[in-house]
Amino acid sequence: MTTTEIKTNDRTTTPATTVRSNTTTPRLDFAKTAPKVFRAVIGLDAAARAGLDPTLVELVQIRASHLNRCAYCLHMHTTDARKAGESEDRLHMVAVWQEADHFFTDREQAALALTDAVTRIGDAGVPDEVYDRAAAHFDEEELAHLLALIFTINTWNRIALSTAKRAGTDER
């Protein structure tokens, strides 16, 4: 994204953003430029997934990627979910899971609600009712792993967006 200033009246300016072109090349190769940091994020990602259902992992990663508008990660995780046998119906409904809750189990809905709250933490924090709902479906260790997974996908989204990764170019 690029930011420019737009004059809104004689005294104030507000930033305007434009999305980078799809033909833009990545800004840098984060894995090569900061390999220790990259490996640390991979380690956090692997540790976060431990003990969580792989289907749930993909749903959480897809939802956070929707919210963050990260096409690179969205493409990667929907592809991974399909390979793991996830249905097209459920993949399409993740973006509107609250209106299509019958596609998801109560446990998945609790995880998606927590994903929404943590990903949008600046809006209202993590409301007690959202946390309590997740805590009712996950034991403490699972809940800690779920939170770590949400932290991790948000980190991956920020890496991909900041470095202008292009959807469909992952090397997996």
Side-chain angles (χ1 to χ4, degrees), residues 115-133:
T115 301
D116 285 8
V118 173
T119 300
R120 295 176 168 159
I121 201 159
D123 292 349
V126 178
D128 288 340
E129 61 272 9
V130 171
Y131 185 88
D132 293 345
R133 181 179 180 187

Side-chain angles (χ1 to χ4, degrees), residues 65-140:
S65 297
H66 274 134
L67 294 173
N68 289 321
R69 300 181 60 193
C70 184
Y72 179 83
C73 293
L74 185 58
H75 180 267
M76 180 187 305
H77 294 295
T78 55
T79 298
D80 290 350
R82 282 184 190 95
K83 287 178 185 174
E86 187 57 79
S87 75
E88 288 298 318
D89 282 344
R90 283 173 37 103
L91 290 176
H92 291 294
M93 293 299 120
V94 173
V96 292
W97 71 268
Q98 292 170 319
E99 292 80 17
D101 58 356
H102 59 287
F103 282 89
F104 305 100
T105 67
D106 289 344
R107 181 176 166 94
E108 290 167 340
Q109 290 176 48
L112 292 168
L114 188 62
T115 301
D116 285 8
V118 173
T119 300
R120 295 176 168 159
I121 201 159
D123 292 349
V126 178
D128 288 340
E129 61 272 9
V130 171
Y131 185 88
D132 293 345
R133 181 179 180 187
H137 291 280
F138 297 89
D139 66 33
E140 282 192 352

Side-chain angles (χ1 to χ4, degrees), residues 10 17-18 22 26 35 38-39 42 45 48 60 67 69-70 89 92 104 116:
D10 291 335
T17 58
T18 55
N22 285 339
F38 189 78
R39 284 191 304 271
I42 287 173
D45 191 341
V60 165
L67 294 173
R69 300 181 60 193
C70 184
D89 282 344
H92 291 294
F104 305 100
D116 285 8

Side-chain angles (χ1 to χ4, degrees), residues 5-22:
E5 294 290 313
I6 296 177
K7 192 164 192 149
T8 56
N9 62 33
D10 291 335
R11 292 177 283 166
T12 62
T13 59
T14 58
T17 58
T18 55
V19 177
R20 297 185 81 215
S21 166
N22 285 339

